[in-house]
Amino acid sequence: MAIPSFVDRVTVHVTAGRGGHGCASVHREKFRPLGGPDGGNGGDGGSVILRVDPDTTTLVDYHRSSHRTATNGAQGKGDNQAGSNGDSVVLPVPDGTVISTSDGEVLADLVGPGAEFVAAQGGKGGLGNAALASSARKAPGFALLGEDGEERTLVLELKVVADIGLVGFPSAGKSSLIASISRARPKIADYPFTTLIPNLGVVVAGETTFTVADVPGLIEGASLGRGLGHDFLRHVERCAALVHVIDCATYEPGRDPLSDLDTIEAELTAHGGLEDRPRLVALNKIDVPDAREIAEMVQAELEGRGLRVFPISTASHEGLDALKFAMAEIVVKRRAEQEKPDNTRIIIRPQVQGGPEFKVKKLPEDGGWLVQGEKPERWVKQTDFTNAEAVGYLADRLNRLGVEKKLLELGAMEGDGVVIGDGPNAVMFDFAPEVQAGAELLSRRGEDQRLEEDRPALQRRRRKDEEYHALRSGEAKTDLSEYGQGWVEDEVDLSPAEAKRAAEKAEKLARKEARELALQKELDQNG
């Protein structure tokens, strides 16, 4: 099947990138055991962004390829190296694109070059253990996982941004009119429904420049699905005024300018949202003698309805200047009433503020408990459940948030099942208040007690240093002949060469002390 060149409504599936996992790493350096955590954070996943591009006029690209995905963030590395962020995907859309969900909820209306909408937000990267370290958790042995990116199905609907909209029956002369007053060159033929897509033309009237949109012809019953025009009426919703183009030279039975106008107005009312737009009436084809007579007969009655009427001929260009300046007058008035929009407008989706951060309810099926909330569910996705310390960290976060307290207030008992989340990522665990994870270290979660204690080798070295300094100060007499003997690299954190030099120095010091003692003894005997 041939792919159309103009598409004004598509369904797009967008998937943002996942955030990279954080890294759990310990700094390693020669002769520096337990150098501390140095795991870097994971990179953020790329987002999918819709941006208005003035050079884009159709949504046909998304008709051909409806799935768009951003790249994932990279995982963090040791030595405090953060992972790189994923690349965002920017999708160009035409000016006037309306973005909504599959249920019809409008999310954004992009008008103006550069206007943006974040269709799918990339997942945040997980924190590495260096970022998780604190005074109470000096050596975390875990890192947080990256979050999944958003995945959404969106409906993109194009509403052409034009100042004037032309409406009327098929073959009424709308395409001929837009071709006569602008440089647009739509398809023109002598059969109905020649126009299959909206056409835009730029019109200049004096010092005013404006755009005119021509939509496919309307017929009676268009609101019920007949014909083509009703599907394209969205393209005149932004127009400052509507121009009824009426064929005064039609030979179809049962048709006349007044009934044609009433029929088109009925279809506009069925579409809705156009009641407040000014109307102009263009009685077309007055170059035909019978058509001119008909136009003269109905003009007074149409003006009696409060409408401005312009007999025109797209073939001879009669009356076109008056119609163009009447359009320009309405456009100038409309522009003066509206504030000038910013050239670039970024649509920001507001976040829900206030209210409880989570809610707890009892499950009637098995007597368990369901915890729902943005924070608890996000924390569950960040937790590596293969790491007991990471699970304990999750328990601490939930406890600080007040989940445990709320469960106790509602009557939860130890051993009750607790479910966090209600989707495919839901996690169930047994309620155990005040249970500490990582008890094998006999310390709080994430805290390495070894960093707080002096090792035996360090204690022995300090004791010998104290004895040596006490001897030098005359406070004690100690045999230093074996000072430094038996020291090994593991005890003093020295290389073999350094340990050998220390031993030689100790031996030299011992011989010096022995000579001094012998000399002193000899002096005492001679004295």
Side-chain angles (χ1 to χ4, degrees), residues 486-509:
W487 288 5
V488 295
E489 177 186 358
D490 181 63
E491 292 182 334
V492 296
D493 294 336
L494 298 177
S495 65
E498 292 173 335
K500 182 178 180 181
R501 287 195 297 269
E504 292 175 350
K505 185 176 181 180
E507 183 179 356
K508 183 178 179 181
L509 179 62

Side-chain angles (χ1 to χ4, degrees), residues 32-75:
R32 267 191 77 188
L34 300 175
D38 67 349
N41 301 334
D44 295 338
S47 300
V48 180
I49 301 172
L50 301 177
R51 179 182 298 166
V52 172
D53 183 1
D55 296 330
T56 303
T57 58
T58 176
L59 299 172
V60 66
D61 288 344
Y62 310 114
H63 179 79
R64 296 188 177 100
S65 178
S66 60
H67 292 264
R68 301 302 173 99
T69 304
T71 58
N72 298 330
Q75 183 173 350

Side-chain angles (χ1 to χ4, degrees), residues 121-142:
Q121 182 68 50
K124 299 293 292 182
L127 296 179
N129 64 342
L132 296 173
S134 64
S135 59
R137 185 182 296 105
K138 296 184 178 181
F142 66 98

Side-chain angles (χ1 to χ4, degrees), residues 224-255:
L224 301 178
R226 295 185 61 196
L228 298 174
H230 192 267
D231 289 337
F232 293 97
L233 274 177
R234 70 174 72 95
H235 297 295
V236 298
E237 290 180 358
R238 305 182 192 274
C239 295
L242 301 179
V243 176
H244 285 279
V245 182
I246 298 178
D247 184 2
C248 292
T250 181
Y251 294 102
E252 294 184 23
R255 283 185 55 188

Side-chain angles (χ1 to χ4, degrees), residues 145-180:
L145 304 180
E147 300 179 28
D148 292 331
E150 285 185 314
E151 184 174 356
R152 309 175 75 177
T153 298
L154 302 175
V155 177
L156 308 186
E157 187 177 31
L158 174 60
K159 294 183 180 180
V160 170
V161 179
D163 297 304
I164 302 293
L166 305 180
V167 294
F169 269 77
S171 299
K174 299 185 298 299
S175 298
S176 299
L177 176 57
I178 198 173
S180 300

Side-chain angles (χ1 to χ4, degrees), residues 154-431:
L154 302 175
V155 177
L156 308 186
E157 187 177 31
L158 174 60
K159 294 183 180 180
V160 170
V161 179
D163 297 304
I164 302 293
L166 305 180
V167 294
F169 269 77
S171 299
K174 299 185 298 299
S175 298
S176 299
L177 176 57
I178 198 173
S180 300
I181 62 178
S182 71
R183 292 183 178 271
R185 294 295 177 263
K187 182 179 180 181
I188 300 174
D190 59 351
Y191 55 85
F193 298 114
T194 307
T195 301
L196 299 178
I197 63 174
N199 296 304
L200 283 179
V202 179
V203 181
V204 179
E207 297 181 353
T208 304
T209 302
F210 56 94
T211 56
V212 177
D214 162 32
V215 299
L218 294 172
I219 61 175
E220 186 176 3
S223 60
L224 301 178
R226 295 185 61 196
L228 298 174
H230 192 267
D231 289 337
F232 293 97
L233 274 177
R234 70 174 72 95
H235 297 295
V236 298
E237 290 180 358
R238 305 182 192 274
C239 295
L242 301 179
V243 176
H244 285 279
V245 182
I246 298 178
D247 184 2
C248 292
T250 181
Y251 294 102
E252 294 184 23
R255 283 185 55 188
D256 60 80
L258 296 178
S259 62
D260 285 0
L261 178 63
D262 293 339
T263 300
I264 299 302
E265 280 292 342
E267 297 304 325
L268 295 177
T269 302
H271 179 78
L274 301 171
E275 294 79 7
D276 60 335
R277 310 302 162 81
R279 264 70 162 171
L280 302 178
V281 178
L283 300 176
N284 194 19
K285 303 183 182 180
I286 61 172
D287 55 290
V288 179
D290 291 344
R292 184 181 294 272
E293 293 180 4
I294 293 175
E296 293 174 351
M297 292 172 56
V298 300
Q299 181 172 355
E301 184 171 348
L302 292 174
E303 291 175 346
R305 297 184 182 184
L307 299 172
R308 298 179 65 182
V309 182
F310 299 87
I312 64 169
S313 170
T314 57
S316 64
H317 289 198
E318 181 181 351
L320 293 185
D321 287 342
L323 178 61
K324 287 196 301 182
F325 280 92
M327 295 178 183
E329 180 183 343
I330 296 177
V331 171
V332 171
K333 183 179 179 181
R334 175 71 175 271
R335 291 175 180 174
E337 294 174 350
Q338 294 180 337
E339 295 183 0
K340 186 177 181 180
D342 296 334
N343 291 332
T344 302
R345 183 176 63 178
I346 298 178
I347 307 298
I348 300 176
R349 291 171 294 169
Q351 300 293 329
V352 178
Q353 301 292 335
E357 295 181 305
F358 67 93
K359 57 182 180 180
V360 180
K361 63 179 180 180
K362 191 174 182 62
L363 297 176
E365 299 85 6
D366 54 3
W369 302 87
L370 175 63
V371 179
Q372 293 176 305
E374 189 269 336
K375 281 188 177 181
E377 295 180 21
R378 180 163 56 88
W379 291 344
V380 165
K381 296 177 183 178
Q382 294 175 337
T383 302
D384 179 9
F385 286 94
T386 63
N387 187 307
E389 191 177 351
V391 176
Y393 177 67
L394 171 64
D396 285 345
R397 300 175 85 179
L398 295 174
N399 190 22
R400 287 195 301 268
L401 188 63
V403 174
E404 183 176 302
K405 180 180 179 181
K406 186 66 175 179
L407 286 169
L408 293 174
E409 290 177 355
L410 295 177
M413 304 295 292
E414 184 173 354
D416 288 353
V418 178
V419 180
I420 299 181
D422 55 357
N425 295 320
V427 174
M428 181 175 182
F429 59 91
D430 294 333
F431 183 50

